[in-house]
Amino acid sequence: MIKALIIAVLVVSVAGCSGNQSALDVHGQSAVALKQLIVIMVIACAIIWLLVSGFLVWAVARRREVRDDEVTKRKMTVGVQSAAIATVIIVAGLTMISFYTTRLLNSAADDAVVVTVKGQQWWWQFVYKQDQNQALFQTANELHIPVGRDVRLELESIDVIHSFWVPSLAGKLDLIPGRKNILTMRADRPGIYRGQCAEFCGLQHSHMALMVIAEEKADYERWRMSQAAPAREPTSDEALAGKDVFTARQCAACHTIRGTPAVGTSGPDLTHVGARQMIGAGLLETTRGSLAAWIADPQTLKPGNNMPLVPLTSDELRQVSAYLEGLK
Amino acid sequence: MKERIVLETSRLPLHAMGMASPTWWGTCAFMLIEGSGFALAIAVYLYLMSLAPHWPIGAPPPDLWAGTWLTVVLVISVIPNVLVSRWAESRRLRRVQIGLLVMIVFGIAPLVFRAFEFMALHINWDKNAYGSIVWVLLGLHTTHILTDLVDTIVLTCLMFSRHGDNTRRYGDVQDNSLYWNFVVLTWLPIYACIYWVPRL
Amino acid sequence: MTSAKSVKLAVGLAGICLFFIAVFIGWARQPRQFRVDPPIAAALEQFRLMPNAISGTPAEVYFAMGKPYESTAFDLSQGKRLYAWFGCSQCHGDGTGKTGPSFLDGWWLYGPSMVSIVASIRDGRPHGMPAFKDEMTIDEIWQLAGYVKSVGAYSTSSKAPSRNDDKTDRPAENRAPAAILFNEGPVLPRPDQGPSR
Amino acid sequence: MMGKESSRPLLDTDLDDVVLEARLAKTWETPTGFWGIFATVDHKIIARRYLATAFVFLFLGGLLALAMRLQLSRPEARFIGPDRYNQIFTMHGTNMMFLFAVPVMEAVAIYLVPLMVGTRNIAFPRLNAYSYWVFLFGGILLWLSFALDTAPDVGWFAYVPLAGPQYSPGKRADLWAQMITFTEVAALAVAVEIVVTVFKQRAPGMSLDRIPVLVWAMLVMSFLVILAMPAIMFASSTLILDRLVGTQFYNPAKGGDALLWQHLFWFFGHPEVYIIFIPAVGMVSTILPTFVGRPLFGYLALVSALVATGILSFGLWVHHMFVVGLPRVGESFFTASSMAIALPAGVQIFCWLATLWAGRPVFKTPVLFVLGFIVTFVMGGLTGVMVASVPFDTQVHDTYFVVAHFHYVLVGGAVFPLLGAVYYWYPKICGRMMSERLGRWVFGLIFVGFHLTFFPMHILGLAGMPRRVYTYQPELPWAGLNLFVSLSSLILATGFLLFLIDALRSWRHGRPAGSNPWGASTLEWATTSPPPAYNFRRIPVVSSLTPLLDNDGELTVAAGLRTDRRELLITSVVEALPQSRESSPRNSIWPFLASIATSILFVWSIFSPWAVVWGAIPVALALIAWFWPKGSPEDES
């Protein structure tokens, strides 16, 4: 009895105070439909569980004499048959609700924003498609989407199977190498929604998070324009020295900063890394200190990830982190 | 607990043949295991074919002659196989011994053709998924023939030994011929799958 | 019955000490190295080359670490990833050689030892081999060198990387590719060993 | 042989009980010492070993679970690194599914099925010995790899391409795949033995409608094993081929497909979890009537529900793949079939409830575990119905909601009845009772510990915590619940520890149990506790579903078997009419030697494909020596 109450109370309470990565704190069109389905099913099953456990407690607590006569037999047969029929009805009902919800999650409208999502071992690459006038650009671990407009994500995997999941907006969908899956999402309210890889993909599966930032149309367009632009020129001389260190040392071999000689493609595109919420796929907030810590020793913060430990002197480290933080 | 004898069983035979012998059922159970394994392998073949834009990938369909000759030899081998089973049923030791020798020959002949079949595939196992599944299908069936050939050889030695004239041993000969029929039976869908499906 | 008990005890004890021996070996064995301490990385740089830059002595620390870069599966597979990431296949193909030399024909222009391969990668070689000194960290260079040696393997190895999920046709490094693809071919006028050609 | 009167071998008809027992004991006994240990073919000795080994693996797996809970108790904890944690959770899953759950259910079958169908030994007893050794060597291989820090780290399902040749360096994934080969060979061998024992060695008169429900459950389990295991053997063998000789089954760039692995694995995976659950249904249906004072209600309904569950279990494997992007109509079919399997489970629950309703339960420990099972399994089944819906699954797949679901149906649905079964049959296996007082504490701790540990995981799953993460960020709201779960897992662990103490203590100090301490009605209670090597002095003749209750406590038996050689009755499949007096093989060292040769072949083939060619020769020689008649009385006929 108490257990069913706990289910109901917790289901409702979690909705309020959860962080922004919960299937019950929903702000996306499909996630809202899914939450309704979850609540209906949880309550229906709680009631069934209550009935069954209630009957069990009653049947056990009756302390009556053992009865094996025909009347009891017939009563039991009728009881079991009706329970079986009830099960058929309930199961059929739940199946219908499930099919109904599936139909609700329709495919994207044709004016949807198209973004290619490339999952690779342990970070997310978002490639914004070229449409009429926007130049092609890419960013990492952060997906900006306009509020109220469909977003069509083309999911591709570079290496192993990952799973793109932002619970507040939509259900998850796997990225399978050799196949292309399409996921449709639409945010109803502006906000920052955290998502995480949901299919075990190796050493750092735990730190493969992404941020979806839903913003009003104007902000979104402004963001797109800024992302399409090449990197800002460093203002302070410390940042300038940092740029030289970046291009001279191993960093340029893996990372791209548009507008500088750094054109490596195996690591994330850092053209506007300073503007991102988090670095290391949801590992640390983007601050100068976290950038310095990450560059100084990526293997201690995220053991096994593919960024080597580049030995830098302390002032080189200060300069590079100043330069990267400036790349707004 | 107190006991009351209600059934006299001393008249029963020490070993009943066919459906009444546990080894017959054991052979059937192992045939069910291997049968479901072969069915799965063919299902994987068809699944990979459904994915490929054109099938077979990067190779011509296998040449027919080696596989067809092997099928003919296998189908013909069923005749002496059934005869051996019948002679074993009627416990005629001499005929069973000769029959088993013939079955050894019928066990080796397909392996000769099988060597040519692997060459007739015109593909290596590591070239692509088509090569892999075709080599695995052929490899599985080759192991199937080999294991039953070894069984037949051991049974032949047994029937020539002092243990030969014994109902249980005739039961074993029957189980072995039942298993050989299964080896031939499983080859037919694999033959159709490897040789004729790419030509459809 | 006591003999059965004692036998069971003996078998049980054997099992337990087998397990503890394995635990000790597991503990003694090097767990996978994700992070190379900067001092060790610096030490890895200090290998001394012969005057003609063909061979030399690896750093002491390389032996102290138990020569991991040519014998641990994780480092070799990281080497294979670096081979793909740093575009080595543009000149060396999948190891069979294009404009750059092949690793499969058993002929090492600068000697087959790890040190000379690391030197070739780090400092580059004349006739087109770029220096990766500022492109890769030293431990990555060692990992890549270990992988390059495994490409030319003549015997199967359980530590070498297996095939890739891509279109390469060459047999994988763990299947002794050099032995499979070995063909004497016409005797080419091989330059004697040394940095000519 | 039979015709000559004078030297007619002594039949058991004209012998009184004491002489008969002495003579049968001499024929059927297993000698002590090394020879006895490695050459025994007595199904009871082998089953006891299977049970002991499986429970050792259970406790080792439990320690792994505690290590995982320690690492997850705090956000960004640094107790265990990612590489070691991935090995631990893979080992926990693989060990629990392949080295504990399936073998322990088969061990119960090996011990009880011959006794419950009224025969003297399992069919093909040497194959039974062989299967135990292969299972043991497989378990040792896996745990040695864990001790050597090279344990598989790709999850108990080893999805390709992570477990494939490119992204899983070294031999870790191969060890996993080869361990599958070991355990599947053992499981298939036992399944064949159980099928043939139930079909051909039932006591005369035990027609199909008089077979105990537990034996039906074990039969259905065996058919599931026979039809499902080839899928995983094909999958694991092709994975080793991909990694060793470069076949391209799972390489999308060369015509292969990553989803091929998931289809093959889960086509085996879902029947596997029913292989673990269906024997538990048999155990509950056998324990309940004994403590309720009336026969089981709806025997026919229960048995047909068992068979229906078995058949349906092959039709719903795609519900593990709802989020890989399959066409929607395919997913809807599998939603319907996954929901449909709730019906037979429902019918079984209702039959048990009806039996309970019409009887007066006596609250001994086995019944406590049955009640705990019903409460827990119904909740697990309901969450199962929830995750069968595609949209629901897109939010909870690969999260801790699913972790909670399958622990409810596996620990709640199979381990609870198993613990009840241990308390119920321990007197029969060891001759001594387990203590009731400790039993109540064990049940209380395990039941409370289980729900406090696994119920909050539903909430963690809905709060967005994915599976198989070695750590999580401090700013996420999961820290509190994770700490709570980690602490309550200690309660669960104490419960299991107490169970171990009770089991070991009762081995020597338990109250001696008579042959039928619970007053049960099935044939295994007709023998002494523990049963003699030959099980029954004379093979029983059955005339109803409850042989010990009819003709007022007197056992009707068949006579006429010889006592100087190991003989048992072969009966027809449907009506169990006697057909022949088949002999049962004596002890033989060859199964042990054959299992060593097989293990060498399997382990060697991890490193070189030529192992299959050269390694097969010693295996063939051992099998030939095993098969070759030794001229013992069992071979004449």
Side-chain angles (χ1 to χ4, degrees):
Chain A
M1 184 59 73
I2 325 123
K3 231 158 246 53
L5 278 183
I6 297 172
I7 298 178
V9 162
L10 280 172
V11 157
V12 172
S13 68
V14 159
C17 68
S18 78
N20 44 28
Q21 181 179 328
S22 152
L24 299 168
D25 170 25
V26 288
H27 304 287
Q29 175 236 353
S30 24
V32 166
L34 293 180
K35 181 184 172 185
Q36 280 156 5
L37 176 73
I38 291 173
V39 169
I40 293 166
M41 279 216 169
V42 163
I43 289 170
C45 292
I47 292 163
I48 298 167
W49 181 82
L50 258 168
L51 291 175
V52 169
S53 303
F55 182 85
L56 178 71
V57 168
W58 176 59
V60 162
R62 271 160 32 92
R63 315 301 312 157
R64 289 260 312 293
E65 270 323 302
V66 175
R67 281 168 306 126
D68 201 5
D69 53 317
E70 277 318 310
V71 171
T72 336
K73 276 217 175 71
R74 215 169 353 85
K75 238 190 266 177
M76 289 201 284
T77 319
V78 165
V80 168
Q81 277 160 357
S82 52
I85 293 157
T87 317
V88 169
I89 295 162
I90 292 167
V91 161
L94 292 178
T95 316
M96 284 311 126
I97 299 171
S98 155
F99 286 161
Y100 171 72
T101 319
T102 315
R103 227 165 28 78
L104 268 180
L105 316 173
N106 43 35
S107 55
D110 40 27
D111 72 337
V113 175
V114 180
V115 180
T116 304
V117 179
K118 293 197 166 128
Q120 47 202 297
Q121 273 191 322
W122 305 302
W123 61 283
W124 300 91
Q125 180 179 8
F126 297 110
V127 180
Y128 278 72
K129 278 289 174 54
Q130 174 136 17
D131 48 354
Q132 309 86 351
N133 42 26
Q134 297 302 337
L136 187 73
F137 66 89
Q138 55 175 310
T139 175
N141 302 327
E142 201 165 283
L143 178 69
H144 284 247
I145 56 173
V147 169
R149 211 169 130 207
D150 276 350
V151 178
R152 187 167 176 277
L153 299 174
E154 290 168 355
L155 307 175
E156 294 160 17
S157 166
I158 306 288
D159 37 44
V160 294
I161 295 177
H162 303 275
S163 187
F164 184 88
W165 182 38
V166 182
S168 303
L169 296 180
K172 62 178 68 66
L173 189 59
D174 281 2
L175 295 83
I176 315 268
R179 286 168 180 252
K180 174 179 280 193
N181 283 339
I182 306 294
L183 176 66
T184 310
M185 264 197 325
R186 194 181 73 202
D188 293 342
R189 274 184 295 282
I192 300 176
Y193 308 115
R194 189 177 189 277
Q196 195 162 354
C197 170
E199 181 60 63
F200 180 61
C201 54
L203 275 169
Q204 282 303 332
H205 163 63
S206 323
H207 296 123
M208 190 173 165
L210 67 125
M211 288 295 166
V212 174
I213 292 147
E215 45 205 355
E216 292 309 334
K217 189 157 177 32
D219 300 340
Y220 170 68
E221 289 306 332
R222 201 177 317 112
W223 175 79
R224 271 186 82 115
M225 293 300 293
S226 74
Q227 288 291 323
R232 273 185 204 190
E233 277 314 309
T235 48
S236 70
D237 51 14
E238 191 182 31
L240 202 62
K243 177 180 176 185
D244 300 341
V245 169
F246 189 92
T247 37
R249 302 300 297 274
Q250 280 84 350
C251 323
C254 290
H255 291 289
T256 304
I257 296 182
R258 287 196 303 277
T260 71
V263 284
T265 53
S266 14
D269 179 308
L270 301 180
T271 313
H272 299 285
V273 69
R276 294 212 265 273
Q277 303 280 333
M278 309 280 275
I279 57 167
L283 189 67
L284 299 163
E285 297 284 333
T286 312
T287 65
R288 182 153 175 206
S290 66
L291 277 167
W294 171 255
I295 295 165
D297 197 346
Q299 291 302 336
T300 304
L301 294 173
K302 201 172 169 179
N305 87 78
N306 289 331
M307 172 157 165
L309 191 151
V310 175
L312 295 175
T313 62
S314 56
D315 45 16
E316 277 174 341
L317 189 61
R318 237 184 304 102
Q319 289 156 1
V320 169
S321 50
Y323 171 58
L324 290 179
E325 202 219 358
L327 294 174
K328 289 284 189 267
Chain B
M1 285 181 76
K2 293 197 314 309
E3 285 178 355
R4 183 158 51 84
I5 298 175
V6 293
L7 185 68
E8 179 48 45
T9 61
S10 55
R11 301 256 69 74
L12 290 173
L14 290 181
H15 179 72
M17 306 268 268
M19 293 264 285
S21 108
T23 42
W24 187 87
W25 286 90
T27 316
C28 285
F30 273 103
M31 280 157 46
L32 188 59
I33 296 172
E34 282 142 22
S36 58
F38 278 115
L40 260 161
I42 290 174
V44 168
Y45 181 96
L46 300 174
Y47 177 85
L48 291 174
M49 190 172 89
S50 68
L51 289 179
H54 48 77
W55 186 266
I57 314 170
D63 307 338
L64 281 173
W65 69 273
T68 314
W69 273 108
L70 181 122
T71 315
V72 166
V73 166
L74 282 182
V75 168
I76 293 170
S77 72
V78 169
I79 302 158
N81 194 35
V82 167
L83 283 179
V84 166
S85 176
R86 212 166 272 140
W87 291 331
E89 180 87 30
S90 48
R91 303 166 63 104
R92 304 159 68 128
L93 184 60
R94 184 55 54 201
R95 289 172 176 251
V96 164
Q97 289 166 338
I98 295 156
L100 282 174
L101 287 172
V102 168
M103 282 316 292
I104 289 176
V105 169
F106 269 108
I108 292 166
L111 290 178
V112 172
F113 287 109
R114 177 55 47 82
F116 289 102
E117 265 190 279
F118 276 109
M119 286 184 278
L121 294 174
H122 302 305
I123 191 163
N124 250 346
W125 67 89
D126 59 356
K127 185 91 171 44
N128 53 41
Y130 165 73
S132 309
I133 184 65
V134 160
W135 270 75
V136 161
L137 269 172
L138 268 185
L140 279 177
H141 193 263
T142 313
T143 345
H144 214 195
I145 296 178
L146 262 174
T147 40
D148 199 64
L149 176 63
V150 169
D151 280 358
T152 316
I153 293 168
V154 168
L155 261 180
T156 318
C157 306
L158 189 63
M159 295 313 273
F160 278 100
S161 76
R162 58 184 173 81
H163 303 289
D165 194 2
N166 176 329
T167 343
R168 286 172 60 79
R169 301 289 81 79
Y170 289 115
D172 294 340
V173 168
Q174 276 198 314
D175 294 343
N176 184 41
S177 57
L178 171 74
Y179 193 76
W180 179 260
N181 289 338
F182 173 68
V183 167
V184 174
L185 193 65
T186 50
W187 169 247
L188 302 180
I190 296 174
Y191 171 71
C193 184
I194 292 178
Y195 290 93
W196 294 102
V197 164
R199 289 183 165 76
L200 292 183
Chain C
M1 265 310 276
T2 52
S3 73
K5 280 273 174 310
S6 59
V7 164
K8 282 203 179 73
L9 207 61
V11 167
L13 274 178
I16 288 166
C17 62
L18 179 80
F19 187 75
F20 278 112
I21 290 168
V23 166
F24 172 71
I25 298 168
W27 174 76
R29 247 176 105 271
Q30 283 251 346
R32 280 186 176 168
Q33 282 301 338
F34 303 134
R35 178 180 184 283
V36 180
D37 284 337
I40 293 180
L44 277 173
E45 297 257 5
Q46 319 302 337
F47 51 87
R48 296 185 309 284
L49 276 179
M50 306 278 276
N52 60 14
I54 283 182
S55 186
T57 60
E60 277 314 309
V61 82
Y62 181 64
F63 296 104
M65 291 159 71
K67 299 203 282 184
Y69 295 110
E70 50 192 296
S71 60
T72 38
F74 180 73
D75 289 311
L76 290 170
S77 80
Q78 292 291 65
K80 184 162 190 173
R81 173 176 58 80
L82 296 169
Y83 188 88
W85 275 21
F86 286 92
C88 312
S89 50
Q90 276 144 22
C91 303
H92 292 290
D94 56 10
T96 46
K98 282 189 191 149
T99 53
S102 151
F103 307 127
L104 284 166
D105 57 9
W107 185 265
W108 299 90
L109 286 175
Y110 299 95
S113 73
M114 279 291 280
V115 176
S116 47
I117 298 174
V118 167
S120 309
I121 299 171
R122 189 186 68 171
D123 308 331
R125 292 293 179 189
H127 306 300
M129 174 66 185
F132 285 86
K133 185 170 173 47
D134 291 332
E135 306 277 322
M136 301 167 72
T137 58
I138 187 64
D139 57 296
E140 283 183 333
I141 291 175
W142 277 91
Q143 283 174 341
L144 180 59
Y147 167 69
V148 159
K149 256 177 83 75
S150 79
V151 171
Y154 279 98
S155 63
T156 58
S157 137
S158 67
K159 294 185 171 50
S162 180
R163 73 159 170 78
N164 259 9
D165 280 353
D166 58 21
K167 286 211 181 311
T168 46
D169 274 337
R170 162 174 71 71
E173 291 76 15
N174 63 352
R175 291 174 54 207
I180 297 174
L181 299 177
F182 186 77
N183 55 9
E184 298 78 13
V187 178
L188 291 170
R190 286 247 183 270
D192 48 8
Q193 195 153 355
S196 61
R197 201 169 79 142
Chain D
M1 272 301 277
M2 289 220 303
K4 290 199 287 304
E5 269 317 317
S6 60
S7 70
R8 196 161 63 92
L10 277 174
L11 296 180
D12 58 7
T13 30
D14 41 38
L15 286 175
D16 61 48
D17 293 354
V18 174
V19 174
L20 174 62
E21 281 175 2
R23 197 173 289 283
L24 280 175
K26 194 163 70 59
T27 311
W28 285 83
E29 211 72 58
T30 301
T32 56
F34 264 101
W35 177 260
I37 282 191
F38 293 110
T40 180
V41 288
D42 181 343
H43 72 107
K44 295 180 287 304
I45 295 175
I46 292 169
R48 266 208 307 268
R49 275 187 208 152
Y50 248 107
L51 282 166
T53 316
F55 271 100
V56 164
F57 286 136
L58 171 69
F59 281 97
L60 287 173
L63 293 178
L64 294 179
L66 289 179
M68 286 159 66
R69 278 323 319 171
L70 173 69
Q71 167 65 9
L72 288 176
S73 55
R74 300 302 310 141
E76 284 296 352
R78 294 233 170 225
F79 300 113
I80 304 170
D83 185 37
R84 202 60 172 142
Y85 185 86
N86 291 348
Q87 286 181 30
I88 286 175
F89 87 74
T90 304
M91 281 295 295
H92 176 72
T94 310
N95 171 71
M96 287 305 193
M97 291 299 276
F98 293 105
L99 294 181
F100 164 65
V102 173
V104 85
M105 292 303 178
E106 293 202 319
V108 167
I110 294 171
Y111 196 96
L112 290 178
V113 165
L115 285 166
M116 290 175 102
V117 295
T119 184
R120 287 195 166 144
N121 202 352
I122 201 164
F124 315 125
R126 293 179 294 189
L127 182 64
N128 196 24
Y130 172 77
S131 85
Y132 170 72
W133 295 116
V134 167
F135 157 67
L136 182 69
F137 295 145
I140 289 175
L141 171 76
L142 190 70
W143 278 95
L144 269 187
S145 81
F146 181 69
L148 292 173
D149 192 20
T150 61
D153 56 355
V154 285
W156 83 279
F157 48 91
Y159 274 1
V160 183
L162 177 63
Q166 184 171 358
Y167 297 100
S168 207
K171 287 297 172 189
R172 296 179 172 199
D174 299 276
L175 284 166
W176 178 83
Q178 207 58 322
M179 186 282 310
I180 297 266
T181 317
F182 275 93
T183 46
E184 299 326 338
V185 163
L188 282 167
V190 172
V192 167
E193 292 154 23
I194 294 166
V195 165
V196 176
T197 309
V198 174
F199 275 4
K200 293 309 290 175
Q201 291 187 201
R202 297 203 305 275
M206 187 184 270
S207 52
L208 292 182
D209 56 353
R210 293 184 185 146
I211 296 179
V213 183
L214 182 65
V215 175
W216 270 111
M218 295 306 187
L219 185 66
V220 170
M221 173 195 82
S222 302
F223 273 105
L224 284 188
V225 167
I226 286 175
L227 293 171
M229 296 287 180
I232 188 74
M233 284 192 87
F234 184 87
S236 65
S237 310
T238 47
L239 179 65
I240 291 181
L241 284 176
D242 262 26
R243 293 172 55 86
L244 194 62
V245 292
T247 50
Q248 309 282 354
F249 283 104
Y250 304 111
N251 178 3
K254 289 278 193 85
D257 181 27
L259 290 190
L260 173 61
W261 170 268
Q262 294 191 20
H263 281 296
L264 281 174
F265 183 85
W266 290 116
F267 183 77
F268 145 81
H270 206 76
E272 153 106 338
V273 296
Y274 280 101
I275 287 166
I276 296 165
F277 170 62
I278 281 177
V281 168
M283 291 171 191
V284 168
S285 313
T286 315
I287 292 171
L288 210 52
T290 310
F291 294 94
V292 164
R294 67 175 304 285
L296 186 69
F297 172 77
Y299 167 85
L300 191 60
L302 256 165
V303 170
S304 42
L306 273 177
V307 174
T309 311
I311 293 164
L312 271 175
S313 71
F314 282 98
L316 41 84
W317 78 88
V318 174
H319 66 226
H320 295 275
M321 299 160 63
F322 274 158
V323 287
V324 298
L326 295 175
R328 200 164 268 181
V329 72
E331 287 169 357
S332 315
F333 165 76
F334 282 97
T335 295
S337 68
S338 305
M339 295 264 192
I341 205 157
L343 181 58
V347 165
Q348 287 162 353
I349 298 278
F350 301 138
C351 288
W352 294 325
L353 287 180
T355 315
L356 263 169
W357 178 78
R360 240 168 79 81
V362 172
F363 295 108
K364 289 273 202 270
T365 318
V367 179
L368 293 181
F369 275 108
V370 164
L371 299 178
F373 152 77
I374 291 177
V375 168
T376 314
F377 177 71
V378 166
M379 201 185 298
L382 289 171
T383 46
V385 166
M386 293 185 208
V387 291
S389 133
V390 172
F392 194 105
D393 194 52
T394 56
Q395 282 290 34
V396 292
H397 178 72
D398 266 345
T399 69
Y400 264 78
F401 187 91
V402 168
V403 171
H405 159 66
F406 68 69
H407 278 94
Y408 264 76
V409 281
L410 280 179
V411 176
V415 175
F416 275 26
L418 179 72
L419 295 176
V422 167
Y423 272 91
Y424 183 66
W425 274 295
Y426 190 94
K428 181 50 66 183
I429 294 173
C430 309
R432 291 178 179 278
M433 304 287 287
M434 287 179 82
S435 101
E436 267 311 305
R437 196 172 45 78
L438 270 181
R440 288 175 199 284
W441 272 99
V442 164
F443 171 72
L445 283 170
I446 287 182
F447 186 77
V448 168
F450 172 82
H451 280 278
L452 291 183
T453 307
F454 289 105
F455 185 78
M457 288 190 182
H458 289 104
I459 299 149
L460 274 173
L462 288 173
M465 181 171 177
R467 265 176 96 171
R468 302 168 183 133
V469 288
Y470 82 99
T471 188
Y472 47 91
Q473 302 304 98
E475 64 268 15
L476 290 165
W478 306 335
L481 276 178
N482 266 302
L483 182 61
F484 177 79
V485 164
S486 296
L487 292 176
S488 32
S489 68
L490 295 177
I491 304 171
L492 188 60
T494 341
F496 273 101
L497 194 64
L498 207 60
F499 168 73
L500 178 68
I501 294 163
D502 189 7
L504 292 180
R505 205 184 55 75
S506 312
W507 180 276
R508 240 176 224 75
H509 308 297
R511 208 162 32 79
S515 60
N516 195 351
W518 314 109
S521 64
T522 39
L523 273 180
E524 78 272 23
W525 301 103
T527 69
T528 59
S529 302
Y534 47 85
N535 291 352
F536 299 93
R537 267 200 305 273
R538 294 188 181 84
I539 302 289
V541 174
V542 170
S543 49
S544 82
L545 193 54
T546 54
L548 267 62
L549 298 183
D550 43 22
N551 42 54
D552 51 57
E554 198 186 32
L555 192 66
T556 51
V557 289
L561 294 183
R562 283 168 50 179
T563 54
D564 63 336
R565 78 176 197 139
R566 296 189 173 194
E567 256 187 16
L568 42 85
L569 272 181
I570 296 295
T571 55
S572 67
V573 175
V574 179
E575 288 306 322
L577 305 171
Q579 291 178 324
S580 76
R581 297 181 295 148
E582 197 59 58
S583 66
S584 178
R586 283 184 179 267
N587 298 342
S588 155
I589 194 66
W590 289 105
F592 177 65
L593 300 179
S595 70
I596 290 180
T598 319
S599 306
I600 291 168
L601 166 73
F602 285 161
V603 174
W604 183 8
S605 67
I606 292 176
F607 299 97
S608 144
W610 293 105
V612 176
V613 175
W614 306 117
I617 296 167
V619 172
L621 292 179
L623 293 179
I624 292 168
W626 165 346
F627 164 76
W628 198 263
K630 314 290 183 300
S632 65
E634 276 72 20
D635 291 333
E636 13 126 346
S637 69

